[in-house]
Amino acid sequence: MSLVGKKVLIFAGRVHYFLRLENLANSMKEAGMSVRMLTADNCLNIDPSTEYLIPAEVEFIHSLDYLKNVGSVSENTRLSLKRFFGAEAGITVKDRLSSYVDPYMLAYSFREAEECLQSFRLILSEETPDVVVVLHENSFWTKSLAYLCAEKDILCVAFQEGLLRHRDQETHRKQTTSAEYVRHLLVWSEDSKSAYIAAGIDEKKLSVVGIPHLDPLFTILQDNDSWKKLRAGVRESSGFGTQRPLVVFAPPILSRYEGDPTRAITEMVGWATINSINIAVCLHPLEPRENLDNVKRAVENHESTKVFMGRVTLDLIAASD
């Protein structure tokens, strides 16, 4: 089957979705497919498109551009809130909201859900994509989008987002809920596939494809000349130079680190100082800004250690020893 001309929508409503799927989007374009990113607002204004999609100069559409009947969104939100809280004698919905939980956040969550459901339905009808790609199905937006794709019989594909943690399955059934509506779940390894099968995912949905967002890194590493040039360029631009060995420490979000991240970083910095080794601490893209600042302050007196966050991580890994 030819891929030329096939229409693809890739949900990129968070910056890490975009970073993980950008290479896939470029590969699809090279294969002749028509690819656009899709984004949506969120009530906390996390990762607005102005911070990453517009600076990256990628073509994208916004869910709210397709929303035509705002009045129905407000009315359906009101009805949803009323159904959710029910009706008790002498107690209005307003009273229950104000006494139970922050009304702005709860009300906006319902409204956001209604906005997404209406706009996503309209997008799928008007854009008629051949395939919709989501990083994973375990989020507010992607679960809704995958459901609507199944409703309209549109192919929807998801990926294994990261290393599988058994505690996520035990506490949130994260693996079990990873492919409720997507037609295919593309995973990193046979071990990952086995974990998903053990969690109840239909084996027919699973395919082992490796780690797509690392493809550029592996491509560079296969060409020794390209790797040497990248290695030297990244080390110079990041302030390390090429004289000392470089070690990259790229932990998960520090609150999920299995151990004491402060102790780990402290011991690593001490080891690097004694052995004349450079350390690049590359924090997770979703790490709170406060933690980033705290880690930077903790290592600011150690010239051999620098702290990074964002797209430079893969380049530093490629340039490391």
Side-chain angles (χ1 to χ4, degrees):
M1 180 182 72
S2 174
L3 299 178
V4 176
K6 296 294 183 181
K7 295 177 67 175
V8 182
L9 284 181
I10 298 178
F11 185 75
R14 297 294 304 277
V15 65
H16 66 290
Y17 294 1
F18 170 65
L19 294 176
R20 291 289 183 89
L21 297 173
E22 181 183 21
N23 179 63
L24 175 67
N26 292 335
S27 297
M28 286 179 162
K29 290 176 182 178
E30 291 174 2
M33 305 175 80
S34 172
V35 181
R36 286 198 290 181
M37 298 288 186
L38 165 63
T39 189
D41 278 347
N42 58 84
C43 64
L44 298 179
N45 198 34
I46 300 172
D47 298 342
S49 57
T50 51
E51 289 187 353
Y52 62 104
L53 291 175
I54 292 175
E57 299 183 348
V58 298
E59 184 179 2
F60 71 94
I61 57 176
H62 197 293
S63 62
L64 293 184
D65 290 336
Y66 291 75
L67 195 59
K68 296 178 173 61
N69 191 345
V70 178
S72 69
V73 170
S74 299
E75 177 62 12
N76 287 344
T77 301
R78 184 187 68 80
L79 293 174
S80 295
L81 288 168
K82 188 173 182 179
R83 284 195 299 269
F84 181 77
F85 286 102
E88 295 181 13
I91 300 179
T92 66
V93 171
K94 180 178 179 181
D95 292 334
R96 292 197 64 178
L97 272 174
S98 60
S99 62
Y100 181 63
V101 73
D102 181 349
Y104 169 76
M105 286 302 299
L106 187 62
Y108 201 97
S109 295
F110 275 86
R111 184 177 179 87
E112 187 179 358
E114 185 64 33
E115 287 175 348
C116 285
L117 286 171
Q118 286 203 29
S119 60
F120 284 166
R121 273 200 177 103
L122 290 167
I123 288 169
L124 295 177
S125 295
E126 294 180 24
E127 297 296 331
T128 62
D130 295 292
V131 59
V132 172
V133 177
V134 295
L135 178 60
H136 59 83
E137 195 188 297
N138 285 322
S139 81
F140 173 90
W141 304 277
T142 54
K143 184 71 76 177
S144 301
L145 188 54
Y147 173 85
L148 294 174
C149 285
E151 180 182 78
K152 292 182 173 292
D153 195 27
I154 294 173
L155 173 62
C156 186
V157 178
F159 291 86
Q160 175 181 340
E161 181 188 10
L163 292 174
L164 301 183
R165 290 189 294 270
H166 294 298
R167 67 178 180 180
D168 286 345
Q169 172 62 14
E170 293 172 358
T171 56
H172 301 296
R173 298 175 63 249
K174 193 170 183 179
Q175 279 87 67
T176 301
T177 57
S178 293
E180 293 180 293
Y181 303 113
V182 296
R183 203 176 300 175
H184 296 289
L185 177 61
L186 309 182
V187 303
W188 292 2
S189 67
E190 292 293 340
D191 285 345
S192 295
K193 181 178 178 180
S194 297
Y196 281 112
I197 293 172
I201 301 298
D202 185 349
E203 184 175 0
K204 294 179 181 178
K205 285 189 172 185
L206 299 167
S207 297
V208 177
V209 299
I211 310 176
H213 64 276
L214 295 184
D215 279 351
L217 171 60
F218 293 138
T219 299
I220 290 171
L221 293 178
Q222 289 173 358
D223 185 328
N224 194 49
D225 289 337
S226 296
W227 176 72
K228 286 182 178 179
K229 290 179 181 178
L230 171 69
R231 188 169 182 268
V234 170
R235 289 189 178 209
E236 292 294 345
S237 62
S238 57
F240 286 117
T242 58
Q243 301 304 312
R244 292 182 173 186
L246 174 63
V247 172
V248 174
F249 177 53
I253 295 177
L254 297 182
S255 62
R256 298 182 181 180
Y257 184 81
E258 296 186 357
D260 184 342
T262 301
R263 179 179 177 181
I265 294 173
T266 300
E267 291 182 352
M268 194 171 298
V269 169
W271 168 78
T273 301
I274 293 172
N275 293 280
S276 298
I277 292 173
N278 289 326
I279 297 287
V281 179
C282 297
L283 299 182
H284 192 280
L286 298 183
E287 191 67 54
R289 178 65 58 177
E290 180 183 356
N291 291 348
L292 171 65
D293 294 338
N294 288 339
V295 174
K296 284 185 174 180
R297 282 194 294 270
V299 303
E300 63 184 357
N301 294 324
H302 300 272
E303 294 183 1
S304 61
T305 303
K306 302 182 186 300
V307 183
F308 303 88
M309 188 166 73
R311 302 174 73 171
V312 71
T313 297
L314 287 182
D315 288 341
L316 285 165
I317 291 174
S320 71
D321 295 288

